[in-house]
Structures are given as C-alpha cells and as structure tokens.
Amino acid sequence: LLGIGYPEHNSYYDDRNRENIIDDNISILILTQAHGGRTRRRKFLKDVLVAIQNIEPDYEIIIRTHPSESEEVYQDLINMENVPSNNIRFSSSEVLLNDIHESDVSIICNTSAGLTSMVAGTPCISYNPWSPKLPRPLYMIEGPASQIESKESLMNCFSLIDKNKIMTMEQDQV
C-alpha cells in the first residue's frame, strides 16, 4: 500500500524501526467505530480484550475511540467485565497517526483508520464476526490485512502474536 497524497505518512513509515519494536512488549491499538449500536461495539471490544489475554509477552492496550463516540461506553464495559485494566489506556492524542506510530499492531472493525494504519507501517487486523457482513472495504476482503470473522479465530490469532509475527504482517501489508 502506498500513502500517495499523504506526505505526513512518510515520516511515520520511515521511523517504523523505532525502539519499541525491539523490546518484548507488544502495543495493541484498538480503533473503535461508531456503528451497529452499543451491543455490537461492546461485543467487539469484549472479544478483542478476551483474545488479547492469550498473548504471552507483556502487552499494552491503547483504545482510541471514534471521534463521534465517548470512551465511557468502553470504560463501562471494562468495569463490568472485570477486565484487568492496569495495561489499558485510552488515547488522549488528537492525532490518529501518533497512536498508530506508538503501536505494534492495530485492530479494527470496518473503519478507514485500518487503511491509515497499514499505510503508516503498522499492521492491521480486521475483526468482523457479524452477519450480514458490514460493507467490505479493502482491508475486509482477502488481501494483505488479517481478516478475522469469528471469536475462535481471533483467539487463535492473538495466541500466535509475537514480535516476529508482527514484523511478518508489516512486510505483507506494505
């Protein structure tokens, strides 16, 4: 994928070999999308948070809510589900690319931020377990992004995530 027309992507892509890709910690950016009602958004976050628990090395979760959403919806879910929140933070950055640049991998459901993530050099996982399917943009068809359509596949994907897998995903998606 090429960031044609977005010169600001060049510096993010060029700086991809930053320090945090070297350590064992994995930084996961969850990019939310304001669609499908509260129930659908809660299922997306719950499934992702449960699947991430399968990661062996240390990890950090950054939740970036869609500009039209409130983080309280997701904070309430974290509190209700008793998800360990010591490694979860909500983004305070006004610039999406800053969060993407700080992350090793992003996970989305039908948001254009997934394309931005891939163009900026951060691999993207697209999770969409619903039927009928949401509209299928580039990263939801068979192609460079990991497309996941079931909770079981999501669990399996995160059980295999490590720095080497992330680097392979990055090479495949750029």
Side-chain angles (χ1 to χ4, degrees):
L1 295 174
L2 299 173
I4 296 172
Y6 296 101
E8 68 270 19
H9 289 175
N10 293 343
S11 66
Y12 287 94
Y13 183 77
D14 292 342
D15 292 342
R16 187 67 190 130
N17 293 324
R18 60 196 188 282
E19 287 183 24
N20 74 341
I21 200 79
I22 297 169
D23 65 27
D24 288 334
N25 295 335
I26 295 175
S27 180
I28 301 162
L29 176 61
I30 300 173
L31 297 161
T32 70
Q33 174 67 353
H35 63 76
R38 189 174 282 220
T39 301
R40 185 171 282 185
R41 293 191 309 258
R42 285 178 180 255
K43 176 177 177 28
F44 170 77
L45 184 64
K46 182 179 178 183
D47 288 357
V48 170
L49 292 175
V50 168
I52 289 172
Q53 302 296 320
N54 289 325
I55 295 177
E56 288 297 324
D58 290 334
Y59 59 89
E60 171 192 32
I61 299 168
I62 303 165
I63 299 174
R64 181 179 180 90
T65 56
H66 188 273
S68 67
E69 293 182 296
S70 166
E71 75 179 47
E72 286 137 11
V73 171
Y74 299 100
Q75 187 64 55
D76 289 347
L77 174 69
I78 291 167
N79 294 337
M80 284 178 14
E81 296 296 330
N82 295 318
V83 174
S85 60
N86 58 331
N87 59 349
I88 299 174
R89 69 177 170 89
F90 285 87
S91 170
S92 59
S93 175
E94 292 184 17
V95 180
L96 171 62
L97 283 170
N98 289 343
D99 289 332
I100 290 171
H101 185 62
E102 290 178 15
S103 304
D104 295 311
V105 64
S106 64
I107 182 159
I108 57 102
C109 178
N110 199 45
T111 174
S112 61
L115 291 174
T116 303
S117 179
M118 290 189 293
V119 168
T122 298
C124 180
I125 297 169
S126 179
Y127 176 55
N128 179 10
W130 296 283
S131 183
K133 295 295 176 203
L134 297 169
R136 298 173 71 90
L138 175 65
Y139 48 80
M140 283 300 296
I141 59 175
E142 192 167 324
S146 299
Q147 177 187 338
I148 299 174
E149 296 180 346
S150 72
K151 184 177 178 180
E152 294 75 24
S153 295
L154 185 67
M155 301 276 289
N156 184 54
C157 174
F158 276 105
S159 71
L160 302 172
I161 289 282
D162 62 14
K163 289 292 182 163
N164 290 330
K165 175 71 172 170
I166 289 170
M167 291 174 82
T168 299
M169 289 169 61
E170 179 184 332
Q171 292 167 358
D172 290 346
Q173 291 182 16
V174 176

